[in-house]
Amino acid sequence: MKNPILITILLTLFATFNEIHAGGLMIATHKTDGWTILHDFPPMPPRPPIPPRRPPVPVNPFPLEVKSEKVGVNIEGQAATTAIDQVFYNPDNRRLEGYFLFPIPKGATLSDFSMFINGKETPAELLDADKARKIYEDIVRQMRDPALLEYSQQGLFKVRIFPIEPRSETRIKISYSQLLESDAGTMEYIYPLDTKKYSAKPLQNLSLLVNIEANSDLKTVYSPTHEVEVIRKGSKQAKVGFEAAKVKPDMDFKLYFNTDNQAIGASVLSFKPRKKDGFFLLTFNPGIAEQEQEIAEKDITFVLDVSGSMSGEKLEKAKESLLFCVNNLNKGDHFNIVRFSTEARSLFEDLELADKGNIAEARTFIEDLKAIGGTNIDEALETALSAKSRKDRPYMVVFITDGKPTIGVTEEDDLLKKLKENNSENTRIFTFGIGEDINTHLLDKITEHTKAFRSYILPDEDIEVKISNFYTKVSSPVLTDLKLGFSRNVSVFQTYPKDLPDLFRGSSVTVLGRYDNKGSDNVSVMLSGKVNGQSKSFKYEASLSDDTHEKHDFIPPLWASRAVGYLLDQIRLHGEDKELVEEVVNLAKEYGIVTPYTSYLILEDEEMRRRDIGRASPRPIEQPDFWQRNGNMDMAEEEYSGMKRKEGASSVRSSQEIQSLNKASNIGQTRQGQSRMYSGASKDDKEDIANQYRNIQGRAVYQNQGNSWVDAEVLSPKNQNAKRQRIAFASDEYFDLLENEPAVSEFLSLGNNVEFYWEGVVYEVFE
């Protein structure tokens, strides 16, 4: 289901036309030589394919502009009520009338539906899926636009709108209720936000707020599609917010949540392509307990660079962030502070209890810090790792620096060798690199070895905010030294992350992986770890089915992102290996992940395509073709060389983006670097790579020339000898395929020229 306002835009009519048929569906489109009226009673026969030498008449079937959209969702148990407040604008000089079409969510049971247009309640007509499909198909025949085929399996609400005044706004308020589907205890809510292909201009203001009130303890609250803010309101309530401005959303909003009476809840989702190994997404979350949750006492040392380069605002912000961390130590924690420049000096001789007296002493120590001298990273790490931490509790080091080592052991390999020798207790070292004049390879290898993660604070970012936000997340360990297991009736492989991080209160651990072609409906998942030295384990029942789960097709690109991020880190930190590079390229092409290798290959593909111009049937290219148009060879080379640099802005950017791929938990995080890839005269008129590929049923489909799309499966060498079938767009054969294989509607809706692989056959739709 897509945004109903945009469907309204598609179906706008002129009231001045005097051949309106009562009850009929009519569409007005604007073309360069006047106005054309199309209607569907009686249905128009399909037009023959347009000859190659005769270009189609340019039309603009979307005369209305979306101004704002505000969505409020209330979920109680499994019942969800969605209220939408939308404003759109008619930029034309004529009064319009139209039909507002609202596709019903798949699997939804609507118990209430109301619509107000300019303050007046307006009745709507409910059409079942068969009647709705006729409307969708007739629109495709008449408009030569297959976009609506995505709804071909859904019912429809239809309501007449009149008048839509010229140069004015129209406001629509609509609400409906539905019963949410549950997948092994995990609830799914979907709101239509994939409006890009229906809107000529960006959506000016978008806000979405979801209130969840569960019947029992709420654990996982998770969006795989959007960067959302989740605010917990006790153990059974949560608010989920998303806002954006001047955007063309290109995917529906999906939200998953589950309840669990165990201390740590688990949510398992799977996606199984036909006759292939499956994908799973597993999320563990402790939620927020009404009573005091059992928190692991921790040992922690804060290590701060106070060399001369830290003087001024950097040091003041770092001191404020340290004060925040110290003031938020938990009862029972032990801590220390090490400041380093030419030499390292610690606050205490060893870790001390976080009581009032020691915290007061720490505040004084922090206030007295001044920036002077060189950068002795060697001695700072040695001092932090010499602490006598207890084996029954986690020990972590927060390491903050803005420079490269200049005193003591300064060579990267020697420092790492010494670190490994001193880190006998498997201490986690979280690194914060401030600015761009730092050795990213050194910091990243430290976190890789200690199974922690890195952060970088760029010149325009707030040091205090980033460090305090980090500490808030890791201040309260719930389960440490995590290990994951599965029952023997399923074979699980290629899981990411390779080493599980600790689980903290208010956060989650997400694991993505593959399972074999057989799968199983009854799988046991085991999670084990430690709390205050005591071993604890949890068992969950899940389904990794052999059935196809088309609605979870966001899982494969998330898995691929993590796989590519892991491989790129191995290449970047340990040297380029031919087999690893080939694996990165293959995964990136199949799932639509932009990497320093594939961005460079895009140019090569484009050059080959250009050499093919003039041939009767140019070969399909393997990636979008806009790079050469914009002349960005230098930028592609910069993407590639940035991975090999150990310092500077491109090195920091490469480290950040690869880690984001490696930890991706929503689709937005898989699109690293795409904001720099644009065509057009300026960035204000940009066309980024996200506009030139779509994820359909777990794989990438690429846009080539104009509105031509090619499925990654078609380009795969293993399908080069597959049977091929050419089908004319909007022909009887075309609609027969849609009726016999409803799942291909997502491919057909892309455009009038699409190549895709389905059940052993490569279908080529042409116009």
Side-chain angles (χ1 to χ4, degrees), residues 507-558:
S507 62
S508 61
V509 169
T510 301
V511 180
L512 287 120
R514 307 292 306 271
Y515 61 93
D516 63 19
N517 188 35
K518 296 180 181 178
S520 175
D521 288 326
N522 300 294
V523 176
S524 295
V525 180
M526 286 74 70
L527 177 70
S528 61
K530 293 181 180 180
V531 180
N532 294 326
Q534 301 296 314
S535 296
K536 291 204 172 185
S537 61
F538 304 87
K539 184 177 180 180
Y540 311 91
E541 298 303 320
S543 173
L544 299 180
S545 177
D546 190 35
D547 296 332
T548 299
H549 294 274
E550 295 171 3
K551 65 181 180 180
H552 298 154
D553 62 359
F554 57 83
I555 299 178
L558 286 179

Side-chain angles (χ1 to χ4, degrees), residues 4 70-74 80-86 100 102 105 110-117 121-122 124 157 172-178 189 191:
K70 184 177 181 181
V71 183
V73 184
N74 286 308
T81 301
T82 303
I84 310 163
D85 188 340
Q86 300 164 308
F100 184 98
F102 190 97
L110 301 183
S111 59
D112 176 59
F113 183 94
S114 60
M115 178 179 290
F116 290 81
I117 301 175
E121 186 168 12
T122 305
F157 275 106
I172 288 183
K173 298 177 71 175
I174 181 174
S175 65
Y176 61 92
S177 300
Q178 65 186 101
Y189 174 80
Y191 180 73

